[in-house]
């Protein structure tokens, strides 16, 4: 297991797992089978092994079924009723929950950064998570994994940026608008040697799951 660094341990994991799998015949991505278990469990494990503190999981499509079938013990589960609007709504819901927990001195003692990952990227493992977490320096940190120089996930947002990122997150673009506007401030962390950033979006992609 990858051991967390001092900086990494102060970051929460934020897993976006609300997608309904429209191009997969309406099968929620969180429940796709992977290694005999729902895919969401793999994504949570990767965040924990990579060094995140509390893992926040944003659910949407078939949220009650995900809660019933997946072992998400120890996670903070966030229901996003607006999940069909796209990834932006899930990112907003997650960052708002993190912000509220920090303000109340919640279970994290107030996370100082959020490491955002997507449930449908099983090719990204704990080593990539650990590398991006290690780029956490302060409340305004902004870092992202890169693959042959191209920005991808996971992405790290210092707590001082959460409100502005949430405000800009719309539709299915997530934080893209914010990241584009702040491109010069992003610390890119090369992860192409330890991870593959493919998505599980179509029937053909299902062959990548075990």
């Amino acid at each position: 297991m990858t051991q967390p660094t001092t900086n990494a341990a102060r970051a929460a994991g934020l897993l976006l797992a609300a997608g309904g799998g429209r191009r997969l015949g309406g099968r929620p991505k969180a429940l796709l089978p992977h290694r005999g278990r729902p895919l969401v469990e793999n994504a949570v494990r990767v965040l924990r092994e990579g060094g995140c503190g509390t893992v926040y999981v944003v659910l949407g499509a078939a949220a009650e079924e995900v809660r019933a079938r997946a072992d998400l013990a120890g996670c903070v589960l966030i229901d996003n009723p607006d999940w069909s609007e796209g990834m932006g709504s899930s990112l907003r819901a997650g960052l708002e929950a993190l912000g509220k927990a920090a303000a109340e001195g919640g279970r994290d003692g107030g996370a100082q950064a959020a490491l955002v990952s997507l449930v449908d990227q099983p090719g990204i493992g704990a080593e990539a998570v650990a590398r991006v977490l290690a780029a956490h320096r302060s409340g305004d940190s902004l870092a992202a994994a890169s693959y042959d120089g191209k920005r991808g996930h996971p992405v790290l947002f210092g707590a001082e940026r959460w409100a502005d990122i949430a405000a800009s997150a719309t539709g299915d673009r997530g934080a893209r608008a914010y990241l584009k506007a702040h491109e010069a401030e992003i610390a890119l962390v090369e992860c192409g040697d330890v991870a593959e950033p493919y998505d599980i979006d179509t029937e053909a992609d299902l062959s990548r799951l075990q």
Side-chain angles (χ1 to χ4, degrees):
M1 180 183 296
T2 304
Q3 297 299 315
T5 65
T6 300
N7 284 337
R10 302 166 79 177
L14 177 54
L15 177 62
L16 306 186
R22 178 176 53 83
R23 287 182 284 174
L24 290 166
R27 283 177 285 177
K29 291 186 176 182
L31 289 174
L32 292 174
H34 182 52
R35 298 175 181 170
R37 297 297 303 164
L39 187 58
V40 66
E41 290 184 14
N42 173 76
V44 168
R45 176 185 56 78
V46 165
L47 289 172
R48 286 175 171 159
E49 291 185 358
C52 290
T54 301
V55 176
Y56 289 67
V57 183
V58 182
L59 301 176
E64 289 305 314
E65 186 178 359
V66 175
R67 287 172 180 266
R69 290 177 51 191
D71 180 2
L72 300 175
C75 296
V76 176
L77 304 183
I78 304 159
D79 286 317
N80 174 21
D82 302 319
W83 64 268
S84 61
E85 295 178 5
M87 189 190 306
S89 65
S90 291
L91 182 59
R92 286 198 308 273
L95 290 176
E96 287 167 3
L98 276 161
K100 182 178 180 181
E104 296 175 351
R107 61 192 299 172
D108 296 302
Q112 297 183 10
L115 192 288
V116 180
S117 68
L118 309 180
V119 74
D120 67 341
Q121 293 190 321
I124 298 176
E127 183 60 38
V129 169
R131 288 187 185 184
V132 177
L133 284 177
H136 177 214
R137 296 288 181 269
S138 65
D140 68 348
S141 286
L142 188 60
S146 65
Y147 301 89
D148 295 326
K150 182 178 180 180
R151 190 182 74 240
H153 283 87
V155 182
L156 181 137
F157 302 132
E160 293 173 15
R161 296 183 182 267
W162 293 350
D164 287 344
I165 293 169
S168 71
T170 59
D172 204 34
R173 294 181 57 81
R176 290 180 201 169
Y178 184 91
L179 291 171
K180 183 175 181 180
H182 297 267
E183 189 169 4
E185 301 164 45
I186 302 172
L188 291 179
V189 182
E190 182 57 45
C191 294
D193 59 321
V194 295
E196 296 181 84
Y198 57 81
D199 301 316
I200 305 298
D201 282 333
T202 67
E203 293 284 345
D205 296 331
L206 293 176
S207 63
R208 293 181 178 270
L209 298 177
Q210 301 176 11

